[in-house]
Amino acid sequence: MEILAGFAFGFVGSLHCIGMCGPIVLTLPAGNHGMLRYTLGRLLYNLGRVLTYTVMGAVIGLIGAGLSLCLLQQDLSIIAGASIVVVFFVGQIARLSLPFPRSLGSMLLKLQGAIASLLRESALPSLFFLGILNGLLPCGFVYLAITAAAVTADVVQGMLFMAGFGLGTVPAMVGFSFFPRLVSPGLRSRISRILPAFTLFVGTLLIVRGLNLGIPFISPKLAPGSTPQMMRGHD
């Protein structure tokens, strides 16, 4: 089931979220309203992130469905995986700094400004909208999840995968809100370095899934003309 696959994806990689988004979590307004309100605020913040990822999943699933009209889903999986691997090695070997479009840079500055404004407020709705905006920030881990969701080539399946992905990151993010000292800045820096290896793993997995090797759940064998579901075998 896509939501379970997405949850596993998010849960396994959620240490990266602590490394990258930990500082934002620590600056969330706390207020002086007791532990119940503090807990509710953190849950609303994470609910906002999950909502953003879910909408992303629906959009990218629709795009994947459009691509599947001219490609078999297994071909789409191979192309997606190969793209991830190529980008990985370009980044690791050449250490290229890719140009950032000026228009996107302007949008990012506006997004950061809106986040900074919400961080100065302590109302519960502000924390929810802060989570929504945080889900829009550039993140390599989220991009990996989006690529995996695109391979589902289905709006609902893509939505479920990204919803599961968001939910999978919640335990680590909420836990870090209550026990930040368990993860030092140095450890967060080391955790953030996990993403390259995870990137290569996901890219390789997507390629293997498209090779029709007959391995249940990993690379299910398909009849000619059939298409696989992203994270499960052929029924």
Side-chain angles (χ1 to χ4, degrees):
M1 189 174 182
E2 304 302 332
I3 194 168
L4 295 179
F7 184 89
F9 190 102
F11 186 81
V12 170
S14 58
L15 289 178
H16 172 77
C17 296
I18 293 177
M20 297 301 295
C21 297
I24 295 179
V25 172
L26 295 181
T27 57
L28 292 178
N32 299 307
H33 303 288
M35 183 58 68
L36 179 60
R37 187 180 177 89
Y38 180 88
T39 302
L40 181 58
R42 270 62 195 161
L43 291 176
L44 284 173
Y45 166 76
N46 284 282
L47 178 62
R49 291 194 308 111
V50 173
L51 177 60
T52 296
Y53 298 148
T54 301
V55 173
M56 286 181 175
V59 173
I60 201 66
L62 179 62
I63 294 173
L67 292 174
S68 69
L69 294 177
C70 55
L71 293 170
L72 286 176
Q73 196 174 3
Q74 60 194 91
D75 294 332
L76 181 60
S77 182
I78 293 174
I79 292 172
S83 299
I84 290 174
V85 171
V86 168
V87 170
F88 169 83
F89 281 111
V90 167
Q92 293 298 307
I93 297 175
R95 301 291 181 183
L96 294 179
S97 178
L98 298 178
F100 197 74
R102 182 174 300 178
S103 59
L104 292 180
S106 177
M107 292 174 58
L108 181 58
L109 287 176
K110 292 180 180 178
L111 178 60
Q112 292 173 334
I115 290 175
S117 178
L118 287 172
L119 282 173
R120 292 191 290 269
E121 302 180 19
S122 59
L124 291 179
S126 298
L127 290 170
F128 174 70
F129 288 113
L130 190 58
I132 289 177
L133 295 181
N134 184 76
L136 297 173
L137 288 174
C139 174
F141 182 41
V142 175
Y143 297 157
L144 281 179
I146 288 175
T147 303
V151 176
T152 66
D154 182 86
V155 175
V156 175
Q157 299 298 332
M159 181 176 64
L160 289 174
F161 183 87
M162 289 303 293
F165 164 78
L167 291 172
T169 66
V170 169
M173 297 296 284
V174 172
F176 183 68
S177 298
F178 287 94
F179 307 103
R181 293 185 180 180
L182 293 180
V183 185
S184 66
L187 179 57
R188 291 204 303 269
S189 177
R190 290 192 292 272
I191 287 173
S192 66
R193 298 171 188 168
I194 296 174
L195 184 61
F198 194 65
T199 299
L200 184 59
F201 170 77
V202 172
T204 303
L205 178 61
L206 289 175
I207 293 173
V208 172
R209 286 197 64 80
L211 292 178
N212 210 17
L213 299 178
I215 305 173
F217 303 104
I218 301 298
S219 183
K221 190 71 174 179
L222 301 168
S226 63
T227 56
Q229 292 298 319
M230 171 58 196
M231 292 292 179
R232 62 186 180 202
H234 182 62
D235 295 331

